Amino acid sequence: MKTPWCFALVALLSASASVSHATAYFHNTGTTANGGGFSNWDGSNLDSPCSITESTSVAYGGSGTSIKCQANYAGSSYTGRYHAMKTHNNGYHLGETGFYGFAFYLQSAWDFSGSQQYQLFQFIANYSDTGCDDWQPSTMVWIQGNQLATRRNYGSSACSRSTQSWTNLASVTAGVWHRIVIQAHWTNDSTGYLKLWFDGTKVLEKLNQAVTINDGREYRMDVGIYANSWHDQGYCTGSTNRQIWFDKVGVGSTFADADPAQW
Amino acid sequence: MVRCLIFPALAIGLGLLGSPTLSAETEVSRRLFDFTPNSSDNPAIATIDGVAIPVSELRAYRAAERQQTVPADATVDQKRALLNDLIDQHLFVADAYAHGVDRSDGFVRQMEATRTMMLTDFLSAEVYQQTGDVARAGRDPVQRLGEQLFDAATIDISNEAYAVLKRLAEALNAPAASFQKLGLPASEMDSSGRLKFLIATIPAMELAHYEGKSLPLRQVAITYAGIPAPRPNLQTPAGLVEMLKPFLIPELLASEAARRGLAETPQFKNKLQQNKNALLRFYVQDSVERDANTRLRSSDLESQLRAWHDAHRRDYLVSSDNGTTRPASFAEARDRALADYSVALRDELLAEKAQQLRREHVVTIDEPTLAECHL
């Protein structure tokens, strides 16, 4: 299913990058429109069994809209992937420091059975010129069972990299708004760090370690649902219909600039 | 059924299905994590102004947010620290209620929208359970139900408001030069300027009435304006209908859910209350973070950051060419210092807020229950 030409509540009327010592680089208030810039996405990472719509009845922050991402398992004969994500090209590059935040709501009947992964958020870059894996995600945030997890992806190059996951960070409740903020200093040496807050509580702090690959290309930021296990494992455990709503996505230089309800 | 009628342009807000309030005296009305009723098997471990926080709430808090830092076999001191953190979160919520945040216009609208979403969510769960595997169904049964409800609904369209919408659509899709005829200064002829100009001309009118509710023209117009070109054609009734569906179908699904009694189930009520309290908690966190950001925009930020950097030099290193690390200069570490300082400010202000609330509210801890409880 392709993204319908849904409409967007324009944030142009009031949103603009805050020019101050605390700088917001990207703010999206639950709209699906593309077009780049401060409030609009650059595109979608969308596979055929999935959909992205703008839900006008939802208002985590009172804006009146949120992004509804849905993945439907298409059976064993479908060998493609299951992305329903909005993309923002300027995620991060090597050496940067930043905050990244979003709010999400799992459908109330979310099936927590099994151990398959459902990504909510990822950074990803195109390494097709390296001869190794083409699109390589770095840090990702996912749900496995009812547990929140994230990871670092680091190494000397795209062809020589390692990943380390941190699981059981928090227990996610279905049918309730949650919010996540990530703080990272993106290096491939011992000066890097990765921190994650869940509903305002810091649940991960990994200091003095490499958190990205030693490569200066820009990583794209994807927000939505990616049922990677359905593709990677070739089957679906439990419910074949997965819905997550997203709102208040932010990127900035301080905690408040990325925390969804700040604006 | 969509009908076009001539009715007065009334500034009527969105109708409510019914305010989702619970009595303040309801024992679970302030819960954040768990709704197990108080009982001898689930005794109070603390109270705030007489409202009990049971053991189940403490366990659920640890499972939700603190499992990495508080072990299941925690000592009494660890449990007490966890409980005090939980009490702080409840104090934030209590403070929000005390200041009427839950009755503020913005929060009420937020809860109305959340309730609508939850009703459609609960209805979807029921429909998927009845219809089985979505993949085999061929078409999303909830989407099909939404279309059926829309086709069956009586939707009255204001001809006057529709005419305004059509003119707006025509103007939005017109060349930029036509805006000069409307008096828009050349300096504001970019898309943002044209948009603001048009939005400012939208009158307060209702575009549609349905099931006792109304849809403001302004809401539809602003959304339409936000669609990248080429925009849908609103000059035809069919185009208008397609434009209205995303606005009305969720509301119709919510009404259907209410008709099926889903809003009266304990599960729905508790989940709605949990969302309300979660959002109030976030509200208080956000107000503190706004204060922190205000400080970060002060004129002496650089001196604050330098002081922070000086006090935390060991935390800011950069790699040397020989593979070792060395202390970063302020210029090299400034971005990291700003980031860390913003977090520290937030944490400091949250702690101050919690301490202030402790002085304003009566908090008790049941030490024997704390000592005996298992996480």
Side-chain angles (χ1 to χ4, degrees):
Chain A
M1 182 185 300
K2 296 189 183 301
T3 305
W5 53 255
C6 279
F7 35 82
L9 180 63
V10 174
L12 291 176
L13 295 177
S14 57
S16 60
S18 175
V19 180
S20 70
H21 299 295
T23 305
Y25 303 124
F26 178 74
H27 280 171
N28 180 275
T29 54
T31 59
T32 57
N34 296 333
F38 182 70
S39 302
N40 292 333
W41 301 95
D42 291 298
S44 300
N45 184 1
L46 182 65
D47 295 306
S48 58
C50 304
S51 66
I52 302 172
T53 55
E54 190 168 299
S55 176
T56 56
S57 66
V58 184
Y60 160 71
S63 67
T65 63
S66 70
I67 302 167
K68 181 180 176 182
C69 300
Q70 183 165 337
N72 294 324
Y73 183 64
S76 56
S77 60
Y78 173 77
T79 58
R81 295 181 187 269
Y82 293 87
H83 292 92
M85 309 184 94
K86 297 301 298 184
T87 64
H88 173 65
N89 288 343
N90 300 113
Y92 76 87
H93 62 256
L94 184 69
E96 281 186 340
T97 304
F99 289 85
Y100 316 85
F102 63 95
F104 73 96
Y105 173 108
L106 300 185
Q107 68 193 112
S108 59
W110 183 273
D111 186 351
F112 289 115
S113 66
S115 61
Q116 293 192 310
Q117 296 180 359
Y118 298 91
Q119 307 293 330
L120 307 176
F121 179 91
Q122 66 176 9
F123 291 104
I124 192 167
N126 186 357
Y127 284 94
S128 57
D129 61 330
T130 64
C132 297
D133 291 341
D134 47 13
W135 284 94
Q136 297 184 12
S138 63
T139 290
M140 310 174 88
V141 178
W142 68 92
I143 297 170
Q144 190 164 11
N146 73 336
Q147 295 296 299
L148 188 72
T150 190
R151 75 174 203 177
R152 62 172 176 151
N153 176 69
Y154 59 102
S156 58
S157 72
C159 299
S160 177
R161 63 190 180 109
S162 303
T163 61
Q164 179 182 15
S165 298
W166 295 290
T167 59
N168 302 324
L169 299 179
S171 298
V172 180
T173 302
V176 179
W177 277 108
H178 295 289
R179 57 189 199 181
I180 286 178
V181 175
I182 295 168
Q183 178 189 358
H185 180 52
W186 303 104
T187 72
N188 185 48
D189 57 32
S190 62
T191 68
Y193 61 73
L194 185 67
K195 309 176 192 178
L196 189 147
W197 285 258
F198 176 74
D199 289 352
T201 298
K202 185 163 61 178
V203 296
L204 178 80
E205 180 173 88
K206 295 298 177 182
L207 308 177
N208 305 319
Q209 54 193 270
V211 292
T212 194
I213 290 174
N214 186 28
D215 189 291
R217 71 192 67 199
E218 190 79 25
Y219 274 82
R220 189 182 76 194
M221 182 180 80
D222 293 1
V223 180
I225 182 172
Y226 171 32
N228 60 299
S229 292
W230 293 356
H231 167 271
D232 299 344
Q233 297 175 352
Y235 61 87
C236 168
T237 299
S239 173
T240 58
N241 168 265
R242 302 284 174 164
Q243 301 172 32
I244 308 178
W245 285 259
F246 294 86
D247 201 350
K248 295 293 189 180
V249 183
V251 180
S253 64
T254 67
F255 190 99
D257 290 327
D259 199 350
Q262 274 306 304
W263 332 318
Chain B
M1 176 177 66
V2 177
R3 310 186 303 195
C4 283
L5 302 178
I6 299 175
F7 57 85
L10 301 175
I12 301 173
L14 288 174
L16 301 178
L17 292 171
S19 299
T21 58
L22 292 176
S23 164
E25 291 74 36
T26 305
E27 63 177 25
V28 297
S29 67
R30 297 299 175 91
R31 302 283 186 89
L32 286 166
F33 304 100
D34 177 88
F35 285 77
T36 305
N38 301 335
S39 69
S40 58
D41 293 329
N42 188 29
I45 199 166
T47 63
I48 299 177
D49 299 331
V51 177
I53 299 176
V55 174
S56 62
E57 178 81 341
L58 184 66
R59 286 198 195 103
Y61 174 51
R62 176 193 167 269
E65 300 179 13
R66 303 297 301 278
Q67 55 187 329
Q68 288 280 328
T69 55
V70 180
D73 59 348
T75 64
V76 173
D77 286 341
Q78 288 174 318
K79 286 189 286 185
R80 187 178 299 107
L82 177 68
L83 177 60
N84 277 314
D85 287 341
L86 175 62
I87 289 171
D88 289 346
Q89 305 312 308
H90 275 256
L91 283 171
F92 292 153
V93 175
D95 190 55
Y97 276 111
H99 285 87
V101 173
D102 61 314
R103 297 186 299 276
S104 64
D105 288 346
F107 194 85
V108 168
R109 282 196 300 274
Q110 186 172 345
M111 285 308 302
E112 287 174 13
T114 297
R115 184 173 184 273
T116 297
M117 179 189 75
M118 289 177 59
L119 283 170
T120 62
D121 180 18
F122 272 59
L123 177 62
S124 297
E126 184 176 276
V127 169
Y128 288 132
Q129 191 174 33
Q130 293 170 350
T131 57
D133 196 318
V134 173
R136 286 195 292 270
R139 186 186 171 195
D140 191 325
V142 175
Q143 184 180 14
R144 186 166 58 238
L145 174 61
E147 295 274 353
Q148 291 170 347
L149 292 172
F150 185 89
D151 291 341
T154 298
I155 302 168
D156 295 327
I157 304 296
S158 162
N159 288 331
E160 183 183 2
Y162 182 33
V164 171
L165 185 62
K166 283 194 287 187
R167 286 197 298 273
L168 172 72
E170 195 171 13
L172 273 173
N173 298 322
S178 63
F179 281 79
Q180 288 181 314
K181 300 178 184 176
L182 298 174
L184 183 64
S187 61
E188 297 181 22
M189 286 297 276
D190 63 349
S191 60
S192 174
R194 281 182 282 164
L195 183 62
K196 291 181 183 178
F197 181 80
L198 287 172
I199 296 301
T201 65
I202 298 174
M205 305 172 72
E206 303 306 316
L207 176 63
H209 286 178
Y210 63 102
E211 298 197 346
K213 305 177 191 178
S214 59
L215 179 63
L217 167 65
R218 186 176 182 84
Q219 183 176 354
V220 178
I222 290 176
T223 302
Y224 179 80
I227 301 172
R231 296 183 181 86
N233 179 13
L234 292 185
Q235 304 306 317
T236 65
L240 176 65
V241 167
E242 291 306 307
M243 185 71 195
L244 292 178
K245 280 184 177 178
F247 288 98
L248 302 187
I249 286 180
E251 298 286 342
L252 296 173
L253 287 170
S255 295
E256 176 65 15
R259 274 193 290 273
R260 296 188 185 194
L262 294 178
E264 303 308 314
T265 63
Q267 296 87 343
F268 182 86
K269 288 182 176 180
N270 284 343
K271 195 62 71 173
L272 185 66
Q273 189 66 37
Q274 190 173 14
N275 270 293
K276 184 176 184 180
N277 292 339
L279 294 176
L280 287 172
R281 178 190 177 200
F282 295 159
Y283 177 91
V284 174
Q285 291 176 356
D286 298 339
S287 69
V288 168
E289 288 159 12
R290 273 195 297 276
D291 291 343
N293 235 27
T294 298
R295 293 194 192 186
L296 293 174
R297 292 190 166 98
S298 68
S299 58
D300 69 337
L301 174 63
E302 290 304 298
S303 62
Q304 294 180 50
L305 291 182
R306 285 186 181 276
W308 173 268
H309 176 253
D310 287 343
H312 299 86
R313 281 184 181 275
R314 289 182 302 175
D315 296 336
Y316 299 112
L317 304 176
V318 290
S319 292
S320 300
D321 292 338
N322 60 6
T324 62
T325 58
R326 61 168 176 79
S329 67
F330 175 71
E332 291 171 325
R334 188 188 181 282
D335 285 352
R336 281 181 279 170
L338 174 62
D340 294 341
Y341 185 55
S342 74
V343 174
L345 262 180
R346 169 194 182 267
D347 292 346
E348 175 188 329
L349 292 176
L350 278 173
E352 287 178 3
K353 177 80 173 177
Q355 289 171 6
Q356 170 205 331
L357 293 176
R358 291 265 182 165
R359 292 190 290 270
E360 297 173 1
H361 295 266
V362 178
V363 177
T364 65
I365 292 179
D366 189 316
E367 291 288 346
T369 301
L370 179 67
E372 293 175 7
C373 78
H374 299 286
L375 298 180

